[in-house]
């Protein structure tokens, strides 16, 4: 069964304390892995798409990497405004395309 | 540039009623997807439309249906509402292939 698991469920960091969020997946026919950020009361905001193992993408303090079994979202020197829920999603083919989201990591960055 | 617009933002319905939610995608985006988000299950894929045709469907009962119009606007309908249908319903649009742009969602409460 296709599955996406994110860890940790919640993470508290001090401002400037770098860390990584994990997204592990067990799927067949991966056609892209997506990272989103979601603020309370809002829809998810697209961050990155990764398509193949070894691929990396960066945006400001965020860097996403992909292996054959997992993806990491590295947050370097986070600021309080980085506090949000970070969601990982995979698009897979099983007959037709299917989209599976993880349950997210709630990140809180303290000033 | 206008984002994805969902109406209404909040809705309260009684068990057994039906409800229709509306989504206007970003201009030029022909793909529209719908998701249900709950605290326990996270984001779950409902269906995707492209050029007025349903391209993909998630594992939801037939009470959940949708359609897309020639101007790419989309509606989803839930009939015979149940308490468990209470959730944030998110619409997302894309040009196809890469990440979605989500709306802010419709918060549906079934009482």
């Amino acid at each position: 069964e296709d599955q996406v698991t994110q860890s940790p469920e919640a993470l508290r960091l001090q401002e400037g304390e770098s860390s990584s969020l994990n997204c592990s997946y067990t799927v067949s026919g991966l056609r892209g892995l997506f990272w989103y950020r979601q603020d309370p009361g809002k829809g998810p905001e697209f961050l990155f798409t990764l398509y193949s193992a070894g691929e990396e993408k960066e945006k400001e303090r965020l860097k996403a990497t992909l292996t054959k079994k997992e993806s990491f979202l590295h947050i370097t020197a986070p600021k309080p405004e980085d506090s949000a829920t970070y969601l990982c999603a995979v698009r897979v083919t099983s007959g037709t395309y299917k989209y599976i989201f993880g349950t997210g990591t709630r990140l809180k960055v303290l000033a | 540039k206008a984002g994805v617009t969902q109406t209404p933002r909040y809705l309260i319905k009684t068990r057994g009623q039906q409800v229709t939610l509306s989504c206007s995608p970003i201009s030029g985006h022909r793909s529209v997807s719908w998701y249900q988000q709950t605290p326990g299950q996270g984001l779950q894929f409902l269906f995707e439309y492209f050029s007025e045709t349903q391209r993909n469907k998630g594992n939801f009962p037939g009470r959940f249906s949708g359609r897309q119009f020639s101007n790419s606007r989309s509606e989803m309908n839930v009939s015979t509402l149940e308490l468990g249908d209470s959730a944030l319903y998110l619409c997302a649009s894309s040009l196809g292939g890469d990440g979605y742009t989500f709306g802010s969602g419709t918060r549906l409460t079934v009482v």
Side-chain angles (χ1 to χ4, degrees):
Chain A
E1 181 186 348
D2 295 328
Q3 198 167 358
V4 176
T5 304
Q6 290 189 248
S7 62
E9 286 188 19
L11 182 62
R12 290 167 69 93
L13 299 173
Q14 291 293 325
E15 185 172 4
E17 180 186 1
S18 300
S19 188
S20 297
L21 313 183
N22 178 263
C23 171
S24 63
Y25 58 93
T26 307
V27 300
S28 54
L30 180 71
R31 293 292 181 268
L33 185 141
F34 304 80
W35 282 98
Y36 290 86
R37 167 196 171 123
Q38 187 173 23
D39 293 295
K42 295 187 177 181
E45 175 189 347
F46 171 71
L47 294 173
F48 305 109
T49 308
L50 302 165
Y51 288 103
S52 55
E55 190 174 357
E56 298 182 352
K57 289 196 176 169
E58 284 189 72
K59 180 180 178 180
E60 296 179 357
R61 295 178 293 283
L62 300 176
K63 179 179 175 180
T65 62
L66 180 65
T67 72
K68 288 187 178 179
K69 294 184 178 180
E70 59 191 348
S71 176
F72 290 94
L73 184 65
H74 307 279
I75 305 177
T76 302
K79 298 181 178 181
E81 53 262 43
D82 294 323
S83 298
T85 296
Y86 290 85
L87 297 165
C88 159
V90 297
R91 183 171 62 191
V92 301
T93 53
S94 52
T96 58
Y97 283 124
K98 191 167 66 171
Y99 303 83
I100 306 168
F101 275 80
T103 52
T105 294
R106 294 189 311 277
L107 174 65
K108 178 74 174 176
V109 181
L110 305 171
Chain B
K1 161 171 152 176
V4 177
T5 303
Q6 291 189 247
T7 56
R9 286 296 311 275
Y10 302 93
L11 206 50
I12 300 176
K13 289 287 188 178
T14 304
R15 270 182 303 174
Q17 287 187 311
Q18 75 164 17
V19 66
T20 299
L21 312 181
S22 179
C23 171
S24 293
I26 289 175
S27 178
H29 285 194
R30 294 163 64 189
S31 172
V32 174
S33 298
W34 288 90
Y35 288 83
Q36 181 194 68
Q37 188 173 34
T38 58
Q41 298 293 321
L43 267 158
Q44 292 188 285
F45 173 67
L46 281 156
F47 26 66
E48 178 188 14
Y49 286 87
F50 185 87
S51 295
E52 302 180 67
T53 300
Q54 187 179 90
R55 193 158 67 169
N56 295 295
K57 190 177 190 304
N59 297 324
F60 278 81
R63 299 185 297 107
F64 292 82
S65 63
R67 59 177 176 169
Q68 187 180 31
F69 302 96
S70 58
N71 61 359
S72 292
R73 192 177 70 84
S74 178
E75 289 181 347
M76 70 162 279
N77 183 277
V78 188
S79 62
T80 319
L81 284 165
E82 301 177 359
L83 294 178
D85 296 333
S86 295
L88 179 66
Y89 289 88
L90 290 160
C91 167
S93 73
S94 74
L95 282 171
D98 220 327
Y100 294 131
T101 301
F102 281 85
S104 294
T106 294
R107 172 77 61 187
L108 172 65
T109 302
V110 182
V111 297

